[in-house]
Amino acid sequence: MHLYEEEKAMALKAVHESLDEIPDEYRTLYTEKSGKYELTGIQGVKTQADVDRLSEAIKVERAKTASVKERLAAWGDLDHEEVKRQLDRVPELEAAAKGKLDEDEIERIVERRVDGTIRSRLSPIERQLKTIEKERDELKSANDAWTQRDRTRKVHDSVLKSAVDAGVEPDVHDDVLLWADRLFEVREDDGQVVTKDGMDVTPGITPADWLSEIQPKKKRIWWGDSVGGGSTGSNGRRVPGFSGKNPFSAEHWNMTEQSRVYREMGRERCEQLAKAAGTTLGGQRPAAKK
């Protein structure tokens, strides 16, 4: 046998009639299906048998679709709701044809017709109403979420401003806001941020009053060294972590001391001292307190 004929004889096919047609080294790539051996061991390869099965399934579905269309064609443009209403009248017509209609039966027929008419007219309205109710609920949920975020923002802004004014250490502001989320609310009538009822603090007080009330318990944690030994500016505000005379204040203005504080404590602390005194870093001496 020539080499070409040997290669032709050994050529693999997508489907073999028997296992003997497949060389031993390729038999693991084939699977028996319906008495034949199909090539299934190569990922992504579709055999002719796969194509044939898909084509046959498509033919079946097309035949079913054509059959349904043929049966529906006999109804023309009839509306299915109208057909149902007409079918509901069959018992009435049969009774009328036999002359068995009395007043009670006529009343029942009228009621059925009225009920059927009402249901047919209300159905689209009810579907539309359900859609509107769903949209309403979604809008309400979104509005509630926005309202809650707005209230939280108002509480945080008010409490944080009071904390800064009271000289609370910046490092503990997050802790202060956690307390605020639990204790404060936005009053409905005037939008004022106040403490809630039923908490372990005086109800209805502002963040500034609350900080004054809680200071004895939290002074070492929230105020650090600024309480009882901190420096105050000309406006009376304490500067956390600094004790002594504020060299930026009008009564204790000292540029040499300002430079020393800048070298030892950094720019941020100097800016805090200057702001507490009513001036800015590198600015002019503030006016003396009257």
Side-chain angles (χ1 to χ4, degrees), residues 55-66:
S55 298
E56 184 62 27
I58 292 174
K59 288 180 181 179
V60 172
E61 290 301 320
R62 285 177 176 171
K64 290 180 179 179
T65 301

Side-chain angles (χ1 to χ4, degrees), residues 9 12 17 52 55 69 89 94 101 113 116 122 127 133 144 161 184 186 215 221 228 240 261 265 273:
L12 297 176
E17 296 294 332
D52 291 342
S55 298
K69 287 183 177 180
R89 294 187 59 197
E94 290 178 346
L101 291 179
R113 288 185 181 180
L122 284 180
R127 289 193 296 269
E133 289 175 346
D144 290 345
K161 180 180 182 303
F184 285 89
V186 179
Q215 183 172 320
I221 301 174
V261 173
M265 305 187 70
L273 288 168

Side-chain angles (χ1 to χ4, degrees), residues 252-263:
H252 303 298
W253 181 266
N254 188 321
M255 297 185 68
T256 301
E257 184 66 11
Q258 292 175 15
S259 298
R260 184 190 68 79
V261 173
Y262 186 94
R263 290 194 305 271

